[in-house]
Amino acid sequence: RAAQKPRREVQELELANGMRFLLLERHDAPSVAAGWVAHVGSANERPGITGLSHFFEHMMFKGSHVIGTRDIAADLALIEEQERLREQMRAEEALMRARLRRGELADLQRPESWSERYRELARQFQALVERQRATIVKDQIDQIYTGNGGEALNAFTTEDLTAYFVRLPKNRLELWAWMESDRLANPVFREFYSERDVVFEERRLRTESTPLGRYDEAFAATFWEAHPYKWPVVGWASDIPAYTKAQADDYFRTYYAPNNLTGVLAGDFDAAAVRPLLERYFGRLPRGPQPPEVVTLEPRQLGEKRYRALA
C-alpha cells in the first residue's frame, strides 16, 4: 500500500467583519509564520491603472499614524500640500500627452520633453518631498519586526492576490496582530510619488532589461483577447507614472476591507487561545462594500494565433 500523506488539521475562523483566518498548529519550533492575503491582483485592474495592485504592495509598507513618522500632524499636512501641487502637475501632464499624440514630443519620461511650467511645478514638489523626509522614519515596520526577532518580512502580488507575511517568535504574535491591523486600520501612503519611480525602475530591471521580459508581455497581450490577464502584473510603462493618490485611496477602500482579506497562521500557537487576540485587533476593522467581481470572460478564439519574437 502507498504511504498515506500526513494530514494537517487546518482550523477556520471568521470574524464578525468578514475577515477569515486559516490556523495551522505546528509545535516543532517556537515560531509562527504569519501573514494575510488581500484578494486583489492585476486582474482586478483596468486600463489606466494597470499595475496598481503591485504598487499598492509597496505602499502598505509605508506605515500608519504611529509607525513611520516623527510628527503625524506635519506629515499629513505635507501630504495634503503635495496633492494640491500634484493636481496642477496632472493638468500640465494632460497638455503634454496631447502634444505627444500630435507627434510634437517623443517621450514624456524624458525631462527634456517637459514644459517650463511642469519643470517649475516639479521643483516645487521636490522641495515638499525634502521637507517631508524630516518627518519620516524609513522602513520602521521592518525595524520593529527585526528588533523583535522577526525575519523574512516580505510581500508579493499575482494576477489574483496580494500577500504579506513574516516569521517571528511565538511570543511576538500579539505584536504581529497589532502591527498588521494598524497598517490596515490607519495607513498613511507616504512617499507616494517617489515610490512610483521605484516601481518604474523595478519594471525596467525585471522587464525591459531582461532578454525575454518584453517578449513575455507581448505574448500575453496577444494570447488573451479580453481577460485582464492580458496586461502585466507590474503594469504598463505609461500607467505607472500616472497613478494618483485618490485612485490609491479608493482602491484601498474597495479591496483592503476585512471582508476581502484572509489571514494565515502556521506554527507554535494554541488556536483557542489566539482567537480572542485576532478578534481584538482585526475585529476592529470596519467591514467594507463587496468588491466588484471580475466579470470579463475570455471568449472562444476563432482562429490560430502565432507569435514570432524578433531580436
Side-chain angles (χ1 to χ4, degrees):
R1 293 178 56 184
Q4 291 185 338
K5 293 183 179 180
R7 185 177 179 181
R8 296 291 187 182
E9 294 293 339
V10 177
Q11 301 181 53
E12 296 189 26
L13 165 67
E14 183 169 340
L15 305 183
N17 59 13
M19 186 168 181
R20 297 175 62 243
F21 283 88
L22 303 178
L23 310 176
L24 175 61
E25 293 185 31
R26 298 181 62 181
H27 302 288
D28 48 354
S31 64
V32 178
W36 51 276
V37 170
H39 299 283
V40 58
S42 61
N44 300 91
E45 299 160 1
R46 59 172 172 75
I49 59 168
T50 64
L52 187 57
S53 300
H54 170 253
F55 175 73
F56 221 86
E57 171 201 320
H58 285 237
M59 295 310 301
M60 287 303 294
F61 286 89
K62 296 301 179 181
S64 66
H65 283 234
V66 294
I67 296 175
T69 184
R70 296 182 177 88
D71 184 341
I72 185 58
D75 209 2
L76 295 177
L78 283 166
I79 290 175
E80 187 175 343
E81 194 173 348
Q82 288 173 358
E83 284 307 298
R84 286 195 293 267
L85 194 56
R86 273 288 167 176
E87 280 297 315
Q88 300 177 55
M89 296 177 72
R90 281 189 281 271
E92 194 65 20
E93 286 167 357
L95 297 176
M96 293 191 296
R97 276 194 295 272
R99 293 188 61 197
L100 181 71
R101 296 187 187 101
R102 293 194 299 267
E104 298 172 8
L105 298 176
D107 185 353
L108 293 185
Q109 298 305 313
R110 297 179 179 176
E112 56 265 29
S113 297
W114 297 350
S115 66
E116 278 302 318
R117 172 164 173 74
Y118 191 82
R119 291 172 191 270
E120 177 55 32
L121 291 171
R123 283 192 289 268
Q124 295 177 30
F125 183 80
Q126 189 57 36
L128 291 177
V129 170
E130 294 298 329
R131 285 173 57 193
Q132 190 182 24
R133 283 179 178 159
T135 72
I136 291 175
V137 182
K138 291 283 287 185
D139 303 320
Q140 193 172 22
I141 291 177
D142 181 69
Q143 292 172 21
I144 293 173
Y145 274 132
T146 302
N148 284 272
E151 57 183 356
L153 176 69
N154 214 328
F156 65 86
T157 307
T158 72
E159 289 82 358
D160 302 298
L161 62 86
T162 310
Y164 302 83
F165 52 90
V166 67
R167 186 169 58 248
L168 66 168
K170 70 174 186 177
N171 64 353
R172 291 297 184 266
L173 191 53
E174 185 170 5
L175 173 68
W176 171 83
W178 174 75
M179 291 271 288
E180 300 307 306
S181 62
D182 181 60
R183 64 170 165 166
L184 285 165
N186 305 295
V188 177
F189 304 134
R190 303 174 176 91
E191 302 178 294
F192 183 88
Y193 298 98
S194 60
E195 198 65 27
R196 289 191 323 185
D197 298 336
V198 170
V199 172
F200 197 88
E201 287 303 313
E202 181 179 335
R203 178 192 156 81
R204 283 176 171 162
L205 176 66
R206 297 184 179 181
T207 300
E208 297 172 8
S209 298
T210 61
L212 298 178
R214 286 180 292 176
Y215 294 116
D216 287 341
E217 280 190 347
F219 177 80
T222 301
F223 181 83
W224 299 101
E225 289 189 359
H227 197 275
Y229 284 174
K230 68 189 303 175
W231 50 71
V233 172
V234 73
W236 294 121
S238 57
D239 286 351
I240 296 172
Y243 303 148
T244 69
K245 186 175 177 297
Q247 288 173 330
D249 291 339
D250 182 63
Y251 207 69
F252 177 82
R253 287 189 295 266
T254 301
Y255 294 107
Y256 277 72
N259 44 298
N260 199 48
L261 306 178
T262 299
V264 181
L265 296 177
D268 192 10
F269 63 90
D270 178 82
V274 85
R275 286 173 183 244
L277 186 72
L278 300 177
E279 290 170 350
R280 175 186 176 188
Y281 288 101
F282 292 97
R284 63 184 172 141
L285 304 174
R287 179 188 285 266
Q290 184 63 29
E293 180 186 358
V294 178
V295 298
T296 303
L297 300 177
E298 183 66 16
R300 179 175 176 268
Q301 299 191 13
L302 304 179
E304 180 182 281
K305 290 182 180 179
R306 295 188 181 187
Y307 177 80
R308 183 181 180 189
L310 300 176

